[in-house]
Amino acid sequence: MRVDGRRAVLMSIQKTGSASTLSIVNEIRARLPRVRELLPDGASIAATGDQSVFVRGAIKGVVTEAVIAAALTALMVLLFLGSWRSTLIITISIPLSILASIIILNALGETINLMTLGGLRWRWYSRRRRDRHH
């Protein structure tokens, strides 16, 4: 294999289905300094692909969507019902339902992967659409 016209070696690391992408990437990054010490002179290590970027982006997107959804829902409840008590109940129930989902996933031995994040995001999206039309 050649990179920038120079000979190179490619090593691909793939996870199993139940492994956490973020855990694997963090472990590899923690071990890289020791591996770099063992390299011969003139050799270097460079990451060519990092799936954790997509996972972190998905987590950030879900958190952003959750905060926006909670704020807008609270605002709508306050505007239409005019009740601080109802607003507080709704504002507290959204993060609690997310926390309950994470606890249940953990109890079932599931990890929060892209499919799970996508499902949560789709659920929030469909709920927001339903609430707008009713």
Side-chain angles (χ1 to χ4, degrees), residues 105-123:
L105 284 170
N106 190 25
L108 295 173
E110 296 293 327
T111 60
I112 298 180
N113 55 26
L114 285 176
M115 292 292 286
T116 309
L117 290 171
L120 288 172
R121 188 175 224 174
W122 177 253
R123 176 68 181 124

Side-chain angles (χ1 to χ4, degrees), residues 5-83:
R6 298 170 57 196
R7 288 182 26 204
V9 175
L10 174 67
M11 183 175 80
S12 178
I13 300 171
Q14 297 184 349
K15 70 178 190 83
T16 60
S18 62
S20 165
T21 300
L22 295 178
S23 296
I24 290 171
V25 170
N26 290 339
E27 185 68 27
I28 289 169
R29 286 187 179 163
R31 292 182 184 200
L32 274 179
R34 173 75 176 125
V35 173
R36 282 191 173 106
E37 291 174 4
L38 300 172
L39 289 175
D41 291 339
S44 64
I45 294 178
T48 58
D50 183 353
Q51 292 297 314
S52 70
V53 173
F54 302 112
V55 175
R56 284 187 177 94
I59 291 170
K60 183 178 178 183
V62 166
V63 169
T64 301
E65 290 285 327
V67 169
I68 291 170
L72 290 176
T73 302
L75 181 64
M76 289 298 115
V77 169
L78 183 60
L79 287 175
F80 288 111
L81 297 181
S83 167

